[in-house]
Amino acid sequence: MTPPTDVRARAVLDKAAHENFPVAPRFLPRAWRNDLLAVYGCVRLLDDIGDGDLAPGGADAAALGVEPDLADDRPALLDAFEAELRRVFHAAADPGAGHRDGPGHPLLSALVPTVRRHALTPEPFLALIEANRRDQKVRRYGTWEELLGYCELSANPIGRLVLAVTGTTTPERVRRSDAVCTALQIVEHLQDVAEDLTQRDRIYLPAEDLERFRVTEADLAAPTANASVRALVAWEARRAHDLLNEGDPLVASVPGVLKVLLAGFVGGGRAALRAIRSARYDVLSATPRPTRVGVLRDAVAALGRAR
């Protein structure tokens, strides 16, 4: 299987280059790369639906079977995505199923052989759909525990899918992977505080922490971060750092080149945290992004710890 060449699909897959962590680097076996890209393409498409970031023109909506007048209706698009996902698993379970019974969107079609090859289950994808549905209704989180519950839906399924595709799932690895994925989600939230608030009216910083550091929503909407906002971001960054430490042993637990991939995930998170720290925790005036060199350096360090 090769990644889809459809223009819409390629535009989604090209976003992999802008993630904090490597999605499907070239050192992986080709089969793994293709399958990880197939998973990434569906997850990225789903997130674009939930964030209202689909390409203009309604082509994705049409491919999902959504009527033109509902092309901008996110709940309708999420329902259509779920229906398409169920077609993916139907087609994967029945190789003799006709084309009409399969998914219509090229990114979901590309997922069918991956699901079949690795006996993937729908649960991680359904959790991701639920996370995006929650984003349409829940725009503030009261406590750290509530935010962790959201990350359980929005982030942790990604690591579980990586383990499933690579055939390395164990309960302990899942636990470590969940810690890494939650950390990466928290880091992304910190990087995108301004964008989430101004463009999507969402705040992924617990209200109890805003109160603790005496930060208001007006403070988060300011062009630069004041001392209270910086202290709050530093606090949440420390939490993400602790989660990465909890997940760090995952790298040592897996065989072969998978160590390198997972070290890239951990290294990407640590490099992003370093970028936030280098910005003195001002995530409002600009989005702190790690450099490729920084990600590589932290990935090598994670490999060193694994040895």
Side-chain angles (χ1 to χ4, degrees):
M1 193 276 291
T2 57
T5 56
D6 181 276
V7 173
R8 293 160 298 171
R10 280 264 45 108
V12 173
L13 292 172
D14 286 346
K15 295 182 180 182
H18 303 291
E19 302 290 352
N20 279 337
F21 50 86
V23 172
R26 294 188 180 279
F27 61 76
L28 293 178
R30 181 180 292 274
W32 278 9
R33 288 187 64 222
N34 287 342
D35 287 333
L36 290 172
L37 279 173
V39 169
Y40 174 81
C42 289
V43 171
R44 185 70 263 173
L45 174 65
L46 176 58
D47 284 348
D48 285 349
I49 292 171
D51 290 339
D53 289 339
L54 290 178
D60 286 302
L64 291 169
V66 175
E67 296 297 324
D69 59 331
L70 295 176
D72 295 321
D73 186 321
R74 296 183 201 178
L77 288 165
L78 290 171
D79 288 346
F81 185 99
E82 181 176 348
E84 281 278 273
L85 179 71
R86 296 193 185 281
R87 293 186 190 100
V88 167
F89 281 88
H90 173 73
D94 181 9
H99 180 71
R100 285 186 180 180
D101 297 325
H105 197 289
L107 286 170
L108 284 135
S109 294
L111 186 63
V112 172
T114 296
V115 168
R116 185 181 299 137
R117 206 164 13 246
H118 303 287
L120 300 184
T121 64
E123 283 75 20
F125 297 99
L126 293 173
L128 293 166
I129 293 171
E130 178 57 30
N132 278 277
R133 286 194 173 118
R134 186 171 295 186
D135 277 336
Q136 311 312 307
K137 300 175 289 186
V138 180
R139 300 184 182 276
R140 306 290 188 274
Y141 289 86
T143 67
W144 175 248
E145 287 70 26
E146 289 177 11
L147 187 61
L148 290 181
Y150 170 75
C151 292
E152 180 71 23
L153 297 172
S154 67
N156 297 0
I158 304 299
R160 296 183 182 204
L161 284 166
V162 171
L163 293 175
V165 165
T166 57
T168 54
T169 301
T170 68
E172 178 63 12
R173 285 174 182 155
V174 167
R175 186 177 75 82
R176 300 289 188 182
S177 171
D178 285 354
V180 171
C181 290
T182 293
L184 293 175
Q185 180 78 90
I186 298 302
V187 171
E188 184 177 343
H189 288 164
L190 295 179
Q191 291 173 305
D192 295 340
V193 167
E195 178 182 335
D196 285 335
L197 179 57
T198 60
Q199 297 186 20
R200 303 188 176 99
D201 188 31
R202 297 177 192 158
I203 297 177
Y204 295 104
L205 301 167
E208 63 182 5
D209 294 342
L210 268 69
E211 181 177 356
R212 173 179 180 174
F213 289 93
R214 299 182 180 180
V215 171
T216 66
E217 292 194 15
D219 292 330
L220 297 179
T224 59
N226 61 28
S228 296
V229 171
R230 292 172 193 253
L232 169 61
V233 172
W235 171 260
E236 307 299 354
R238 169 54 62 180
R239 283 174 152 172
H241 181 270
D242 290 345
L243 283 166
L244 284 175
N245 285 346
E246 182 181 341
D248 214 34
L250 175 66
V251 179
S253 77
V254 297
V257 294
L258 185 56
K259 285 183 188 294
V260 183
L261 178 65
L262 298 187
F265 291 174
V266 172
R270 292 193 187 280
L273 284 173
R274 180 177 291 105
I276 292 170
R277 188 166 61 248
S278 296
R280 298 176 62 196
Y281 303 105
D282 180 3
V283 295
L284 303 183
S285 58
T287 301
R289 297 289 184 197
T291 64
R292 288 176 182 253
V293 172
V295 173
L296 179 60
R297 180 175 59 240
D298 281 293
V300 170
L303 282 173
R305 290 190 297 274
R307 295 191 182 103

